[in-house]
Amino acid sequence: MQRRQLIQAAGTLPLAALAGRALAFDGPELYAGEKALYEEAKKEGMCVSFDTGPEWANWKSLFRDFKKRYPEIELTYNDLGSAATVVALEKMRRRPQADTAYYFAASAVDAVKKDVVAPFKPVNFEKLPEVFREAEGRWFTIHTLNIAFLVNRKLVKNVPTGWADLLKPEYKNTVTYLDPRSTGVGQVLVFAAAYANGGGVDNVKAGTDYLGRLHAAGNVQRVEGTTPYAKFLKGEIPVWISYENDGLKAKHVDGMGDACEVLIPKEASVAAPYGISLVKNGPNPNAGKLWLNFIMSTAGQQLFAQGYVRPSVPGIQLPADVAAKMPAAPQIRPLDVVKASARKAEVDQLWAQATLAK
């Protein structure tokens, strides 16, 4: 509805009601058109957000601040997991029950192939690296998880600063990482090692060859099939190659404190994109768009950082205390999940050849 029509329609309302309608919330808009979108979303009254479990990536804080800003929108969620979310969207394609869907970006690519998500370009969409978004906005990255070295300083005398360090004799039987054949973290780790050793997403052998050398040196303690977070907290793992947020959580939330050192390896690392989509023919499209815009706004991006995952939008200003925990790391490369997904079988085969006989 145009502004003139809004004024005419409101002309017969009591002054108090008019004031309530004119201001959906106090303060300036987060982006142009925010208040108008909220007015449309209020007619729907609800947003159903799939796979946004509150304890993961600080979703609970985004829920809280979204509700404060848009009190007339009820936000409901579930916690299915990435692959299961795509399965659910496909099963309910005739009568969608979700408005938005969050997942590791490889699953987002799958959702596009299955035609269960709709194009929508939220605020800050154009600022994202091209490999962090589908061209029409059917998915886009909202935060990343980055490969890091998580080091127990009680068990390691000298903290390794790069991939080359881990090959030294002093790190014998100290390194644990996840199996790339069965875990996403393991797959992403191979690409990070590849970039650090002259390869990349188009040359994964550089990464598997490096891991082969690491095994041959006797420096691998174990390869895990599921996340060994509890073992790390208990002091059973000297060096864990995993996602940065695991280490920051261990350090700042779960009691390890200064015993835990978290660092991005100096040669190179990889940012694994986590994306979100507007569901095709979802029941509350305007509320869904309002939620997606909030997630991609500066306010939403800063809340992710407070949950120890890095914002996807470049240049987001972080509070000093948060920025100190996640210093700038220009050596982090954005992972092209379309190419990475196509290379999974190759990664599995090359990794097995390089490591299992060692």
Side-chain angles (χ1 to χ4, degrees):
M1 190 180 288
Q2 297 298 313
R3 184 173 181 273
R4 181 181 297 173
Q5 291 174 299
L6 282 171
I7 293 172
Q8 289 173 341
T12 58
L13 291 171
L15 189 58
L18 178 59
R21 286 210 172 184
L23 291 175
F25 44 78
D26 294 329
E29 291 189 317
L30 293 177
Y31 52 87
E34 180 192 14
K35 291 183 179 180
L37 182 57
Y38 180 36
E39 289 299 327
E40 293 303 310
K42 280 161 60 174
K43 298 172 186 175
E44 298 163 350
M46 176 178 285
C47 176
V48 183
S49 176
F50 266 30
D51 200 31
T52 49
E55 298 306 317
W56 171 255
N58 206 26
W59 281 113
K60 61 183 177 184
S61 294
L62 278 95
F63 294 161
R64 178 199 66 210
D65 285 11
F66 181 84
K67 185 65 177 174
K68 282 181 184 176
R69 190 163 186 86
Y70 313 111
E72 295 189 50
I73 308 296
E74 290 300 321
L75 191 59
T76 64
Y77 61 86
N78 61 27
D79 191 4
L80 292 175
S82 295
T85 292
V86 180
V87 171
L89 294 180
E90 195 173 17
K91 284 182 177 178
M92 63 178 68
R93 94 168 48 243
R94 291 186 179 179
R95 295 187 63 186
Q97 298 168 28
D99 298 304
T100 66
Y102 163 75
Y103 22 40
F104 179 53
S107 290
V109 173
D110 193 28
V112 172
K113 290 178 181 175
K114 289 179 165 53
D115 193 28
V116 292
V117 291
F120 175 66
K121 297 180 180 180
V123 294
N124 291 322
F125 178 85
E126 300 296 341
K127 294 180 182 179
L128 297 174
E130 285 191 18
V131 296
F132 274 6
R133 52 187 165 98
E134 194 270 338
E136 300 303 317
R138 289 178 177 84
W139 68 265
F140 43 89
T141 302
I142 55 177
H143 72 77
T144 64
L145 298 183
N146 307 282
I147 295 297
F149 295 169
L150 319 184
V151 183
N152 187 327
R153 300 192 67 162
K154 292 181 179 178
L155 304 176
V156 175
K157 182 180 179 182
N158 299 310
V159 174
T161 60
W163 298 91
D165 287 345
L166 290 183
L167 295 172
K168 296 176 180 177
E170 65 182 287
Y171 298 107
K172 198 166 195 69
N173 199 36
T174 64
V175 179
T176 288
Y177 67 94
L178 280 158
D179 191 328
R181 297 169 300 176
S182 59
T183 68
V185 184
Q187 284 273 317
V188 174
L189 179 154
V190 171
F191 291 110
Y195 275 113
N197 288 276
V201 74
D202 293 314
N203 175 14
V204 296
K205 193 171 185 299
T208 55
D209 283 353
Y210 167 84
L211 292 170
R213 294 196 299 275
L214 196 66
H215 281 258
N219 291 3
V220 175
Q221 180 188 36
R222 65 175 75 95
V223 175
E224 295 276 3
T226 57
T227 183
Y229 186 75
K231 293 178 184 177
F232 184 68
L233 287 180
K234 290 176 185 175
E236 297 175 10
I237 299 173
V239 180
W240 180 21
I241 308 176
S242 187
Y243 282 146
E244 177 185 32
N245 65 310
D246 284 326
L248 293 172
K249 188 167 177 281
K251 182 179 181 73
H252 299 292
V253 178
D254 290 333
M256 285 191 74
D258 291 340
C260 179
E261 186 85 12
V262 184
L263 57 100
I264 304 294
K266 63 185 178 184
E267 300 96 337
S269 180
V270 158
Y274 279 70
I276 204 164
S277 303
L278 184 70
V279 173
K280 186 176 182 179
N281 299 322
N284 309 294
N286 292 304
K289 291 173 183 177
L290 191 72
W291 176 224
L292 296 179
N293 275 338
F294 180 75
I295 288 167
M296 286 290 285
S297 71
T298 296
Q301 292 284 289
Q302 288 175 337
L303 288 170
F304 279 131
Q306 290 176 23
Y308 307 118
V309 297
R310 294 198 183 225
S312 62
V313 178
I316 291 290
Q317 196 72 31
L318 302 180
D321 61 327
V322 176
K325 295 168 184 172
M326 291 188 292
Q331 71 271 36
I332 297 175
R333 313 291 182 87
L335 182 63
D336 184 332
V337 293
V338 176
K339 286 186 176 182
S341 297
R343 299 228 182 298
K344 185 184 185 314
E346 182 184 1
V347 169
D348 293 353
Q349 180 185 4
L350 291 175
W351 179 83
Q353 291 172 354
T355 65
L356 296 185
K358 303 294 166 63

